[in-house]
Amino acid sequence: MSTLSTAPDARANLMLDMPLPQDQNLLAWTGDPNDAGHVTAQSAGGVAGKITLVRMNIRRRITWSNIWLGLSGIDSGASLSNCYLGVYDTTGARRGTTADVSADFMVNAIGKPLALATPFTAEPGYYFIAMLLNGTWTTNSFHFKGTGAGVSVNSGLAAPLLRYSNLLTGQTSLPASITLANQVTTIINTGWGSYWLAVS
């Protein structure tokens, strides 16, 4: 019976078979987009005005210019406003934000980059990608691609380093700072977590 070798060159060959962000001209991601086969949706009443956070591990110094997401469904009858994506560091300081991307969520259900208003240099470490949605929409029409991991995404973790979380209510813009110790999972535990994101 043969066994899989764990010699250094064998491990290197295995790594060559693993999809990496640079294979798709990206700098980091929450996972291979090929595995994002699930659709994650949430009602306007459940998520509007709340900030949802996805933890991202940046492993080398980069210039962060765009946040990518997989928009998988459009609601042509939606009324969206004050929708933003942004980036926070582990101190809770906002490092970057997009302009209002409401119009981007009304067209082209594809994987798309949304530009930060001002790119920034990100040193290696954890960052949190924030999403803020506002308006009204049909839950099962407006949605994003995700992994379907659901509540298991935070296994073994606690605030302030939850992988998927939410905080605050009634927001119409991304604040200059947030308190990561206040992370909760009220939206994540009802099916909103695990949506796919990437960096370029």
Side-chain angles (χ1 to χ4, degrees):
M1 182 176 70
S2 63
T3 58
L4 180 64
S5 172
T6 57
D9 55 344
R11 290 196 300 269
N13 287 335
L14 287 173
M15 290 293 290
L16 291 175
D17 292 333
M18 294 176 59
L20 298 172
Q22 54 264 39
D23 295 339
Q24 295 189 211
N25 298 313
L26 300 169
L27 299 174
W29 59 21
T30 54
D32 181 0
N34 190 54
D35 296 331
H38 180 72
V39 168
T40 184
Q42 182 60 263
S43 68
V47 75
K50 299 175 183 177
I51 296 173
T52 55
L53 299 171
V54 176
R55 196 187 74 194
M56 179 76 68
N57 191 3
I58 302 300
R59 300 181 186 279
R60 60 185 176 85
R61 192 175 196 248
I62 62 169
T63 297
W64 192 327
S65 301
N66 300 284
I67 298 170
W68 288 71
L69 54 72
L71 179 62
S72 54
I74 297 168
D75 178 6
S76 60
S79 177
L80 302 177
S81 62
N82 299 317
C83 296
Y84 298 91
L85 293 170
V87 184
Y88 291 87
D89 63 25
T90 54
T91 72
R94 191 184 68 209
R95 301 295 306 277
T97 184
T98 64
D100 186 348
V101 293
S102 299
D104 295 285
F105 288 156
M106 297 295 294
V107 296
N108 299 330
I110 58 174
K112 60 174 62 181
L114 300 167
L116 297 177
T118 304
F120 72 97
T121 299
E123 301 294 343
Y126 287 137
Y127 293 84
F128 295 86
I129 298 179
M131 180 187 288
L132 174 64
L133 302 176
N134 278 291
T136 58
W137 60 84
T138 302
T139 303
N140 292 322
S141 296
F142 177 47
H143 44 70
F144 301 87
K145 295 300 287 186
T147 65
V151 296
S152 64
V153 296
N154 287 314
S155 297
L157 300 173
L161 289 176
L162 290 173
R163 192 171 176 187
Y164 289 81
S165 64
N166 59 279
L167 47 71
L168 300 176
T169 60
Q171 303 299 300
T172 56
S173 62
L174 293 176
S177 64
I178 56 175
T179 302
L180 290 167
N182 292 338
Q183 287 176 309
V184 294
T185 58
T186 52
I187 299 174
I188 309 309
N189 289 348
T190 57
W192 181 239
S194 302
Y195 50 89
W196 179 82
L197 295 168
V199 176
S200 69

